[in-house]
Amino acid sequence: MKKLSTQPCMIARSLAIVGDAWSMLIMRDAHGGLTRFDDFRKSLGIAPTMLTGRLSALVEEGLLEKRRYSDRPPRDEYVLTEAGRDFLPVLFAIGAWGRKHRGGGKMIRFYDAEGGTEIDPLTIDRATGAPIGTRSIRIAPVE
């Protein structure tokens, strides 16, 4: 994954940071309001050593910030940074794809906390206004 972080492709560089399922699920739970190690562990059923590594990487890459909330005993929480908050549309785009192509059975739903409506994401191109995925793309080589 480290090799991806120096690629000219921003998709590759981003995957170097959050390209595994655990990191994505930690970010989902952080957006859902979880901040404490034990809450992440309980929600995900992840091994403590694995969770420690993923949280450390997300802090190092600037998606989460580690803050001390207790000195005795020493305890930290993990809060979203601006970069972490900006990651939410990525999670919802993946979720929309999953709902369409991996749906069936029981599924968690996500709602707007203020309006109460279910979130139905749409990814559009700012320049054309066209939904992404409805038009062909061209990948330009690095100049």
Side-chain angles (χ1 to χ4, degrees), residues 22 26 40-52 54:
W22 290 124
I26 290 167
F40 285 116
R41 193 172 55 75
K42 185 176 180 182
S43 172
L44 299 171
I46 185 175
T49 53
M50 182 78 70
L51 180 56
T52 298
R54 294 307 191 278

Side-chain angles (χ1 to χ4, degrees), residues 31-91:
H31 279 280
L34 299 187
T35 61
R36 298 191 177 172
F37 186 92
D38 287 339
D39 293 334
F40 285 116
R41 193 172 55 75
K42 185 176 180 182
S43 172
L44 299 171
I46 185 175
T49 53
M50 182 78 70
L51 180 56
T52 298
R54 294 307 191 278
L55 286 170
S56 295
L58 291 168
V59 168
E60 184 179 318
E61 294 295 342
L63 279 88
L64 296 174
E65 181 182 336
K66 188 175 178 179
R67 289 188 191 157
R68 177 75 28 114
Y69 70 88
S70 172
D71 287 324
R72 293 179 189 233
R75 296 277 190 256
D76 298 310
E77 64 180 351
Y78 299 87
V79 296
L80 291 164
T81 62
E82 180 181 1
R85 289 186 299 274
D86 287 347
F87 194 70
L88 185 59
V90 176
L91 292 172

Side-chain angles (χ1 to χ4, degrees), residues 124-141:
I124 62 166
D125 175 54
R126 186 183 314 269
T128 64
I132 302 231
T134 62
R135 297 164 63 131
S136 298
I137 67 165
R138 179 175 53 85
I139 300 175

